[in-house]
Amino acid sequence: MSLRYFNQTGWTAIFSGTDTEIGRMVRVEGWDQTTGTALVVDAKRGALRAVTDYEDFSHLERADQVVGAVPGGGWRVHWKDEGPGGTPLTEQVLAWLITSQGRATAITVDAQGHVDDADGADAFIPPGEDPTS
């Protein structure tokens, strides 16, 4: 699962790329208290850095701001053709992430323990219901 679309500030910085760096999305970690400029982590410097300090900074985009999580409650998600060889696939909902806009995103876990979101699922199955009905 790519949590780059979920962060505490609710914003993602978009960079178009340079000769030495590919275009990228970076979580906004905070805001400069003097200028109000968005700040991102500069791993090379080991510090927060203003997005406007980067020559390839393009713009900011809204991200989902997670404000809570609730257990999956026995819900499952079903895909018609995402299993091996295009077969049906059903997975347990591990949890529901709740955003500041009230959106609930199902987070699944497969038999190997891999976690992902279920945004592309074909159906949500309530507890106790058969996925084939």
Side-chain angles (χ1 to χ4, degrees):
M1 177 167 112
S2 176
L3 292 179
R4 68 180 175 221
Y5 298 109
F6 295 96
N7 63 50
Q8 290 189 315
T9 64
W11 291 95
T12 300
I14 308 299
F15 296 89
S16 58
T18 65
D19 291 341
T20 58
E21 286 230 45
I22 61 170
R24 61 212 178 278
M25 299 173 68
V26 181
R27 284 191 318 244
V28 171
E29 301 293 338
W31 309 95
D32 183 287
Q33 292 186 9
T34 305
T35 64
T37 305
L39 301 172
V40 296
V41 171
D42 182 333
K44 292 177 185 171
R45 290 187 183 177
L48 290 176
R49 186 172 169 191
V51 294
T52 53
D53 288 351
Y54 292 88
E55 66 180 272
D56 65 331
F57 171 66
S58 174
H59 62 283
L60 297 179
E61 288 185 4
R62 283 222 174 259
D64 284 325
Q65 189 175 22
V66 175
V67 295
V70 295
W75 281 81
R76 292 170 292 152
V77 292
H78 182 76
W79 292 268
K80 295 176 185 174
D81 57 2
E82 293 294 318
T87 60
L89 174 67
T90 302
E91 291 182 345
Q92 288 291 130
V93 174
L94 175 66
W96 299 90
L97 296 183
I98 311 301
T99 70
S100 59
Q101 282 73 42
R103 180 174 178 229
T105 298
I107 304 301
T108 61
V109 61
D110 66 15
Q112 290 77 38
H114 298 115
V115 176
D116 203 350
D117 67 61
D119 284 345
D122 295 312
F124 289 87
I125 305 164
E129 211 172 279
D130 183 358
T132 59
S133 57

